[in-house]
Amino acid sequence: MLNILDTFNRSLSGKVIEEKNFDNRVLPQKLMELAKEYDIKYTGEEIMPLDMDLIDSVYSAAIDLLVDVGVYNASTSRVIEFDEKEIKNHMATCAGREEYGSGNDKITLVKRNMEDNSRAPVVFGGTGGGGMSQEYIVKHAQSIAQEPLVKGIHTPTLPYLYDMDIKAGTPIELMAARSEIMWTREGLYRAGKPGFPIIGVMSAVSTEGQFFADAPGALRPEDMHTICFMNDMKLDWAILNKIANTSLNNYKPLSCMCPILGGYTGGPATTAIATVAEGIYTYLLTGSELYVMTAPLNMMTGEGSSPHAVWSTSLVMASLARNTDLMTSLYVFPSAGMCTEMFMNETAVLAGATTVTGASHFVGPCGLVGAQTDCSSGMDGRICAEISMAASKMSLEDMNEFGLELAKTYTEAVTSGKAPAGKKFYECYDLKNVRPSQEFEDLWASSKAKLSDMGFDFE
Amino acid sequence: MSVEDELLEEGYTALVEINEGKVEEVVNEWIEGNFDPVKLVNKLAEAMAEVGKKFESMEYFLPQVMIGAEIMEKANKALSDKMAAEGVTSVSLGTVVLATVEGDIHDLGKNLVGGMLKTAGFNVVDLGTDVPASKIIAAAKENNTHLIAASALMSATMSSFKDILGLLDGMGIRDQFKLMIGGAPITQEYADEIGADYYAQNAAEAVEITKKAMAM
């Protein structure tokens, strides 16, 4: 990774551009030029990219984008510039593996390739940042850690603390950030997984709030310290401060991106180019061996599981898998709520498509696009793990056919905002024993049988 | 076709195609020709509605909406100046103060709402991101508007809506302002719970609500 002072200096010496000019003109115009130059377009005929030239072109276009446009530091109104050789040299240093967690629960994440049947992606359960009430956060963590196929946890956001709202940049935010991790760890202890790797912190948006969770009993150096980047090739001092925190304190970083479909990066093809470029520079800036992203969320509908979003996501995964050793991860965010058949179908398409295109890791799944409270459980991680294990045995063509067919069952509902709300954690779990309800188990068994009939080979 | 009709068509097409130079040219010719400014303003508003439709169908994306709104603003300004010289009042449908709440730096949704409101003919005072409640209220007072539109993308920043409402209450001016809220974690239930006046699920809804709120 680049030295933090080098990034600092580039932030102060790069070309000056007005932010709205960067957003509305510089970035989108270059993306459109590159899509045309490399003939990268979404036709709607596939839900996953099948053409290796297209996949590799996206990577080349992403490098060109990064060299021509750079990364915008919104705090200085300047562009952090990179040259092509530097980018390629840095990408060649990706290790393609990383360890997270500690003791018996430590995991080694290894980079997967496209159609890689040697291993399935590793699943971390959790809300992916969605809310979990303090009444349930411990049992929620326990429900995840006791799932045998789930290997880590992504912490939730606490929507309130002791009946008080969380307010960014205040003492209650600091307390919430630390409580989120401490209560999660309590759940891990109860499940007998004290060293289980954790992705956090979610309850704090301020830099000081996030740093406050790096404390004894809370986030450990070997956990994954989330650095959420701004969309659309931008960052600011707060992000660079978080990078300094992980880098100078020897904490494991995790680069995170939430692309938007229909925003400044445009449609599925141009958003894929930008998201690959973002994966590249997040590695250069943070040194994180794992790049975690959501599927591009539609700006108008908020969904990220319809065919164009899945295509764009798979293209990003495939492009990075074929051209780098950077490991990729997906926040699996169905639009439907937990404990519904639609949730399982969306998970099958999102996790299935990205398993086959080379994802190494998944977070979730978390229903309602991870935007609501108490909408996640350990059972969801189990579902995702079983799906990804089955998908790892599938070919690109088979998964494409399967995905196109299955997406028909939910696309109208997700694009029209009519996805079912499903159930809350406390409605589909026996909280006394921290076990999924019989209804939840039966629903998954029935969905799994239907997915098997369509071609999924479950163990 | 008359020169006037030709210019109206050219202006409409140029704006739908986001051709900034051509729209400027049409506006200049229109002013030089001494035609009724209101006619061109209305035609350009129709063009922006078409841009909005293209955005919703994913033919256009956010940059086209934002640049279109900028072009429209410039054209409106030139035509308004002309109208003012002729003693005709402004064509703006009203002013909305817009902001992302304190602690939150997410601005994509807010920018889209701002762009769509401008295209619909509203004057938008965009305060940016991470804006404290006191600054939002001060801007609403300063701009003589009763509608505040605020967004939050994070659970940890949602409570800032309550700060706005609490401050309005504390200042004894709650009844003078309406608060419209939105953002990924926000629901109608949440808006009801905190006492916000309106909840907009997306930018199109925000425009419809603004039209209703401004009519009140």
Side-chain angles (χ1 to χ4, degrees):
Chain A
M1 67 175 280
L2 290 172
N3 181 287
I4 191 73
L5 289 180
D6 189 0
T7 314
F8 173 77
N9 279 328
R10 292 185 201 203
S11 295
L12 294 174
S13 59
K15 189 167 49 181
V16 174
I17 302 181
E18 193 186 356
E19 188 170 358
K20 73 174 183 182
N21 193 26
F22 183 86
D23 290 340
N24 291 326
R25 296 171 198 271
V26 175
L27 176 63
Q29 279 167 13
K30 189 67 200 175
L31 279 167
M32 281 191 283
E33 279 171 35
L34 288 167
K36 197 172 174 190
E37 181 186 337
Y38 286 96
D39 194 24
I40 299 164
K41 55 179 178 250
Y42 172 62
T43 63
E45 288 164 15
E46 295 154 359
I47 199 166
M48 303 158 62
L50 304 179
D51 175 356
M52 297 307 128
D53 289 340
L54 168 77
I55 292 167
D56 294 342
S57 291
V58 169
Y59 189 73
S60 301
I63 301 259
D64 288 357
L65 179 69
L66 202 44
V67 171
D68 283 358
V69 169
V71 178
Y72 188 77
N73 186 331
S75 300
T76 61
S77 301
R78 287 178 187 270
V79 171
I80 298 172
E81 291 160 339
F82 304 95
D83 72 51
E84 188 171 343
K85 199 169 173 189
E86 168 183 57
I87 294 167
K88 289 183 173 165
N89 283 344
H90 273 84
M91 293 316 288
T93 68
C94 280
R97 60 193 296 123
E98 184 60 281
E99 292 179 339
Y100 300 103
S102 64
N104 294 334
D105 304 314
K106 181 192 278 189
I107 61 152
T108 303
L109 207 57
V110 179
K111 190 227 165 188
R112 292 184 68 254
N113 296 308
M114 289 183 72
E115 296 185 300
D116 188 342
N117 57 15
S118 65
R119 58 172 58 83
V122 170
V123 175
F124 278 28
T127 66
M132 184 58 61
S133 306
Q134 72 182 69
E135 289 85 345
Y136 307 116
I137 187 171
V138 174
K139 289 191 174 180
H140 173 253
Q142 185 182 344
S143 80
I144 289 165
Q146 68 194 12
E147 285 292 338
L149 299 178
V150 177
K151 298 298 177 190
I153 184 167
H154 191 300
T155 57
T157 301
L158 281 168
Y160 53 86
L161 192 66
Y162 310 118
D163 214 21
M164 287 179 282
D165 290 321
I166 312 297
K167 187 164 170 51
T170 69
I172 199 162
E173 187 197 36
L174 306 189
M175 288 180 69
R178 194 175 284 181
S179 302
E180 163 201 320
I181 306 295
M182 291 175 77
W183 287 336
T184 295
R185 285 186 65 180
E186 169 63 22
L188 304 185
Y189 278 109
R190 289 190 192 185
K193 300 278 182 69
F196 220 49
I198 299 173
I199 299 177
V201 178
M202 294 292 119
S203 301
V205 291
S206 73
T207 311
E208 60 267 36
Q210 294 208 348
F211 291 0
F212 198 70
D214 296 323
L219 215 55
R220 303 157 294 191
E222 59 270 28
D223 288 322
M224 295 144 101
H225 295 67
T226 314
I227 301 167
C228 289
F229 278 75
M230 293 160 79
N231 300 100
D232 313 317
M233 312 279 290
K234 293 198 292 190
L235 50 71
D236 60 9
W237 285 140
I239 289 169
L240 293 183
N241 287 342
K242 285 170 196 167
I243 295 171
N245 183 48
T246 55
S247 163
L248 304 176
N249 287 316
N250 200 24
Y251 299 153
K252 302 235 169 174
L254 177 67
S255 302
C256 164
M257 185 63 69
C258 178
I260 300 291
L261 207 56
Y264 297 118
T265 59
T270 42
T271 296
I273 298 170
T275 311
V276 169
E278 287 161 346
I280 294 168
Y281 73 71
T282 60
Y283 176 71
L284 262 68
L285 298 178
T286 69
S288 171
E289 295 284 346
L290 184 63
Y291 172 51
V292 56
M293 60 177 279
T294 64
L297 301 177
N298 187 297
M299 197 162 178
M300 288 301 279
T301 62
E303 62 84 18
S305 61
S306 56
H308 56 195
V310 178
W311 180 85
S312 188
T313 312
S314 317
L315 186 51
V316 173
M317 300 283 176
S319 177
L320 289 169
R322 272 179 62 85
N323 293 280
T324 74
D325 277 329
L326 183 66
M327 295 184 286
T328 55
S329 172
L330 180 70
Y331 280 102
V332 182
F333 281 154
S335 289
M338 175 168 59
C339 202
T340 62
E341 186 171 344
M342 191 170 131
F343 171 99
M344 292 162 191
N345 288 346
E346 289 179 82
T347 300
V349 173
L350 279 164
T354 46
T355 294
V356 179
T357 46
S360 297
H361 182 266
F362 291 129
V363 174
C366 184
L368 306 179
V369 203
Q372 300 303 323
T373 298
D374 301 333
C375 297
S376 157
S377 74
M379 181 75 184
D380 304 330
R382 183 198 308 178
I383 291 166
C384 189
E386 291 191 24
I387 285 170
S388 59
M389 287 165 75
S392 67
K393 291 179 271 182
M394 290 175 84
S395 70
L396 203 56
E397 286 77 12
D398 286 351
M399 185 63 221
N400 179 56
E401 198 181 316
F402 169 84
L404 282 170
E405 204 53 41
L406 200 55
K408 287 179 191 162
T409 66
Y410 63 74
T411 299
E412 202 279 330
V414 301
T415 51
S416 62
K418 290 179 185 156
K423 299 205 168 185
K424 301 272 189 178
F425 177 55
Y426 48 83
E427 293 172 326
C428 58
Y429 255 67
D430 164 9
L431 292 183
K432 197 172 173 186
N433 298 303
V434 196
R435 296 285 165 201
S437 66
Q438 195 55 49
E439 180 198 4
F440 203 173
E441 296 266 16
D442 290 347
L443 182 63
W444 173 227
S446 137
S447 282
K448 201 154 69 165
K450 287 180 191 167
L451 294 171
S452 295
D453 288 345
M454 290 179 81
F456 257 46
D457 179 13
F458 289 101
E459 308 255 328
Chain B
M1 196 184 274
S2 68
V3 176
E4 190 180 14
D5 286 343
E6 263 179 38
L7 282 175
L8 285 174
E9 281 314 306
E10 281 177 22
Y12 176 91
T13 307
L15 187 48
V16 170
E17 289 173 355
I18 318 292
N19 185 340
E20 189 167 9
K22 183 68 187 169
V23 173
E24 202 177 324
E25 200 180 292
V26 169
V27 169
N28 288 339
E29 281 184 42
W30 189 266
I31 290 170
E32 279 165 22
N34 218 18
F35 300 117
D36 177 5
V38 177
K39 273 191 183 173
L40 184 56
V41 167
N42 289 340
K43 194 68 184 176
L44 293 178
E46 277 176 35
M48 279 315 295
E50 183 59 24
V51 170
K53 279 184 200 159
K54 284 178 181 285
F55 174 76
E56 284 175 34
S57 65
M58 292 196 75
E59 190 182 333
Y60 278 1
F61 304 111
L62 185 59
Q64 282 97 335
V65 175
M66 300 304 289
I67 295 172
E70 263 180 38
I71 298 172
M72 179 79 180
E73 249 187 326
K74 271 191 202 165
N76 271 348
K77 167 108 183 40
L79 293 164
S80 296
D81 289 348
K82 168 82 173 158
M83 284 189 284
E86 289 173 0
V88 181
T89 49
S90 163
V91 290
S92 168
L93 299 176
T95 298
V96 184
V97 162
L98 179 67
T100 301
V101 297
E102 186 171 20
D104 204 320
I105 59 157
H106 295 90
D107 65 357
L108 222 65
K110 170 191 69 67
N111 291 349
L112 176 61
V113 169
M116 300 274 273
L117 285 173
K118 283 179 193 170
T119 65
F122 293 99
N123 174 39
V124 177
V125 178
D126 187 344
L127 303 176
T129 61
D130 190 12
V131 188
S134 57
K135 196 174 166 189
I136 294 173
I137 294 168
K141 285 162 110 179
E142 200 177 302
N143 288 281
N144 286 320
T145 180
H146 66 277
L147 186 61
I148 295 168
S151 76
L153 196 82
M154 317 289 289
S155 312
T157 57
M158 282 161 64
S159 67
S160 295
F161 295 132
K162 291 187 193 173
D163 294 346
I164 299 171
L165 293 167
L167 206 52
L168 287 172
D169 267 336
M171 294 164 92
I173 52 172
R174 175 69 184 94
D175 58 341
Q176 294 172 30
F177 296 92
K178 299 281 183 195
L179 177 65
M180 172 166 67
I181 65 172
I186 315 303
T187 59
Q188 182 64 57
E189 291 71 32
Y190 180 75
D192 294 342
E193 185 190 315
I194 65 168
D197 301 287
Y198 307 107
Y199 159 67
Q201 196 175 10
N202 54 46
E205 242 180 67
V207 172
E208 289 313 307
I209 290 168
T210 302
K211 283 179 184 168
K212 282 183 202 155
M214 284 299 179
M216 289 171 79

